[in-house]
Amino acid sequence: MSFIPGQPVSAVVQRIEIHKLWDGDNLILGFSIGGGIDQDPSQNPFSEDKADKGIYVTRVSKGGPAEVAGLRLGDKIMQVNGWDMTMVTHDQARKKLTKKNEDVVRLLVTRRSLEDAVRQSMMQH
Amino acid sequence: RERSRDRHKSRSKESSRSEKSVTINAPPAEPLLGDQSVRGEEVQDDNWGETTTAVTGTSEHSLSQEDIVRISKDLDDSVGLDCKRYLNVALSVILGLVVFLTPLAFLILPHLLWPDRLRACGTACEGLFISVAFKLLILLLAVWALFFRPPRAGLPRIFVFRALLATLVLLFVLSYWLFYGVRILDSQDEDYQGIVQYAVSLVDALLFIHYLAIVLLELRQLQPFFSLCVTRSTDGATQHYNLGQLSIQRAAVVILENYYKDFPVHNPALLTASKSRAAKHLAGLKVYNVDGPGENNAAAGIAQSQSRAMIAAAARRRDSSHNELYYEEAEHERRVRKRRARLVVAVEEAFTHIRRMQEEEQKKAPGDVMDPREAAQAIFPSMARALQKYLRTTRQQHLHSMESIQQHLAFSITNNMTPKAFLESYLTTGPTLQYGKDRWLARQWTLISEASVTSGLKDGSVFLLKCIDFSLVVTTKKIPYIQLAEEFIDPKSHKFMLRLQSETSV
C-alpha cells in the first residue's frame, strides 16, 4: 500500500459486496467514509502514509450491511462498482456510493493485514 | 513565376520613384539589374541614392521635396507668429501699466490739483499708504508670476479666458476712473482719507481679480475630466491622456507637448513596405477597355464581368502575398537580430580599448592623454561599420548623423556609461525629442476641427493635428463618474481554522 505520487499504486485488495438496506426513505450501507483529495490527509488516523488522500472507512455501524459483508474499520476503498476511489473528492466518493438506482455496491478494499497475509504465504513457499 | 513577381516589384518601385523625379518608365529590358537590386535589400526606400551608392555614413545633404516645403514654410511662419506675439506683449504691458499706475494717480492727483483745500492726512490715513504700497507690490509680483512667463505655444485663435479677464480689468479700471472723475475731481473733495480708502479698495479688487485669473487660467483644468486618445495616422501608435476642462486649442497644445516625449519618432522609411505591397496589388491588374465607349449596355456588362474577373484574380493573388509577408518579416527579424548581436559585441570590444585616467596618472604621464571627444573619435571606427549596418537594417540611418553618433559616444564616455547604455538610443526608437531639432517640426502643426477651436472639449469631440507627413487623430471621452461604496471589515473578523477530515455516513 505504498503511495508515491505520480507512480501507479499496487495493492492487495479484497472484493466486498454490500447489499443496501432500506431505512425509511433512504438506502443505507452502514458505514462512514473520510478522506478525499480536497481533505487534509494528515488528520487521517487510519492511513499509513500521511500524504495518502484516499477514501477510508472511519466507522462501521454494528450489524449493518457493511459489517455483514466484511468491511472493517480503517479499510481503504480503492474502487466502487468499477469507479476509482483513489483520486476523488469526498463528495464524489459519497455520490458514487449512494446512487439511488443501485441496490448493490461492489467494493475493492485494501488493508494492512491483507498485505501481511500475502507476504507470509509467499515466504512460506 | 518568381521572376515575373520580381519584375512586378521593380516596375512598381520605378513608378513610385517617378513621383519625385521626372523619368520615363523604361520597359524592364534588363531584368537582371532589377533582380539584383531587389534581392540585395528587401525594400528600397525612397532616398534610393543612398542605397545604390557605396556611401558609409548617412547623407544629410540630399534634399527631398519635403525638405524644400518645410524650409519655405519655416520662413513664412516665423514672420507671422512674431508679429502676433509682439502685439500681445505690447497690449498686455500697456494694460499692466495703466492698472498699476491708477491707484498712484488717485493718490497723487488731489495733491497736485487742490493741495490747499485738502484736509491733512492723519495716522490712519498714513497707515493706509503703507497698505497700498505693499498690496501694489504683491500685485506686481503676482502678475509677473502668472502672466509674464515665456509663452509655450502660439494658438490659432485668441485665448478666450485671457481676453475676458483683460476686458474685465479694463472695464473695472474705467468704471473706477469714471467715478473718481465725476465725484472727486469735479467736486474737488477735501476728504483725503476717503480718497485713500478709495484707492485701497481699487487695489483690493485688483487682487481679487488676480485670484479669479488664477482660478480660471490655472486651477480649473487641473482636475481631470476627459480622457483623450491620440493615434498617429501612419503607424497607429496610441497614447491616452487625462485632461481637465480645456478649450480644443489648449488641449491640442498639451497633447503636442506630450507627443514629443511619448510617441516614438516618426520614421517614414518603415512605411515603405506596406506602400509597396499596396502598389503591387494595384499594379498587378490593369483593365483595358478595348471596345471603346460604344454601346452603354454592353459596356456596363463588360465592366461588370471585368470587375468580377479583377476581384477573382485579386482573391487568388492574395493567397501568395500573405505568405510572402510572413517569410519576409521572419527573415527581417532574423537579420536584425544577427546584426544586433554583431553590434553589441563590437561596441563592447570598443569600450574596452579606453580607460578613464585617475588624477595621479594624469600628472605622471601627460603624453597620451585624450579628452572625451578625441577618445570617442579614436574608438569610433571599430564600431562604425557594425553600427551603420544595424541602422540600415532597422531603417534608422537618416535619424543619426556621424556627428551626432560621435557626440553621443563622447557623452557616454564622459558619464561613465556602459556600452549597453550607449547603445540603448540606437537599439530602441526613442521619442522625437531625443533626435535633432530638424526632426521636431514644431512650427508645422495645423489644428483641424469641426467644432470651433475655442469651444471646450466635449464627450465625443474629434479633432486632427496635422503635420507634414502624418496627422494625430484625437478622440475625447468623458472620464466616467465613479461611485465609490464603502465596506467595513472588522480586523477581529479574520479568523482561520484547519480543514478537518469530514466524515459522511453512507
Side-chain angles (χ1 to χ4, degrees), chain B residues 41-324:
Chain B
E41 313 267 295
E42 72 277 311
V43 180
Q44 284 179 322
D45 49 42
D46 289 345
N47 304 348
W48 65 282
E50 253 183 80
T51 50
T52 51
T53 56
V55 162
T56 54
T58 54
S59 50
E60 280 272 291
H61 305 294
S62 58
L63 284 182
S64 64
Q65 202 155 15
E66 298 166 352
D67 288 325
I68 296 177
V69 168
R70 215 179 293 160
I71 290 174
S72 58
K73 255 196 140 189
D74 255 336
L75 290 173
D76 288 331
D77 284 338
S78 55
V79 173
L81 273 176
D82 281 351
C83 229
K84 240 208 244 174
R85 220 188 276 175
Y86 286 145
L87 192 66
N88 276 342
V89 169
L91 277 177
S92 39
V93 164
I94 290 174
L95 186 66
L97 277 177
V98 164
V99 162
F100 188 70
L101 294 177
T102 302
L104 298 176
F106 284 179
L107 293 174
I108 293 175
L109 278 176
H111 273 293
L112 293 177
L113 292 179
W114 60 95
D116 41 341
R117 284 182 44 193
L118 266 185
R119 227 174 286 157
C121 199
T123 34
C125 176
E126 280 164 9
L128 287 175
F129 278 151
I130 297 180
S131 107
V132 165
F134 274 105
K135 282 185 186 158
L136 273 181
L137 179 68
I138 292 173
L139 185 65
L140 190 68
L141 286 175
V143 164
W144 168 82
L146 188 63
F147 292 107
F148 284 92
R149 290 180 289 189
R152 314 147 61 182
L155 299 176
R157 297 270 175 91
I158 54 164
F159 195 160
V160 172
F161 281 148
R162 277 205 194 189
L164 280 176
L165 280 168
T167 319
L168 180 67
V169 165
L170 202 61
L171 283 175
F172 181 73
V173 167
L174 281 178
S175 65
Y176 260 69
W177 268 110
L178 200 65
F179 185 84
Y180 187 76
V182 166
R183 298 294 289 273
I184 297 183
L185 285 182
D186 273 352
S187 61
Q188 301 215 336
D189 197 7
E190 303 122 11
D191 182 12
Y192 194 55
Q193 185 163 352
I195 296 175
V196 176
Q197 274 176 341
Y198 185 66
V200 170
S201 81
L202 171 66
V203 182
D204 284 340
L206 284 174
L207 280 172
F208 285 134
I209 292 185
H210 188 263
Y211 158 74
L212 179 68
I214 295 179
V215 165
L216 277 183
L217 296 178
E218 304 285 315
L219 289 184
R220 187 167 171 262
Q221 75 260 26
L222 287 182
Q223 188 183 43
F225 204 71
F226 293 105
S227 178
L228 273 71
C229 172
V230 185
T231 315
R232 187 155 60 182
S233 66
T234 47
D235 58 352
T238 309
Q239 292 280 337
H240 288 85
Y241 300 112
N242 277 4
L243 294 182
Q245 284 162 317
L246 286 173
S247 61
I248 290 184
Q249 58 182 4
R250 282 167 85 192
V253 167
V254 174
I255 287 171
L256 284 180
E257 284 172 357
N258 283 320
Y259 166 82
Y260 279 103
K261 82 162 161 71
D262 285 332
F263 278 75
V265 68
H266 168 69
N267 196 349
L270 292 172
L271 308 164
T272 50
S274 56
K275 275 193 209 155
S276 68
R277 272 202 300 276
K280 239 195 301 176
H281 281 307
L282 291 174
L285 303 166
K286 278 211 170 84
V287 176
Y288 294 98
N289 195 358
V290 186
D291 294 329
E295 315 103 48
N296 285 340
N297 290 345
I302 289 174
Q304 267 190 21
S305 63
Q306 275 177 351
S307 63
R308 248 183 272 131
M310 268 179 72
I311 293 171
R316 253 180 276 128
R317 286 191 111 229
R318 220 175 288 143
D319 288 350
S320 64
S321 78
H322 76 250
N323 219 8
E324 246 178 63

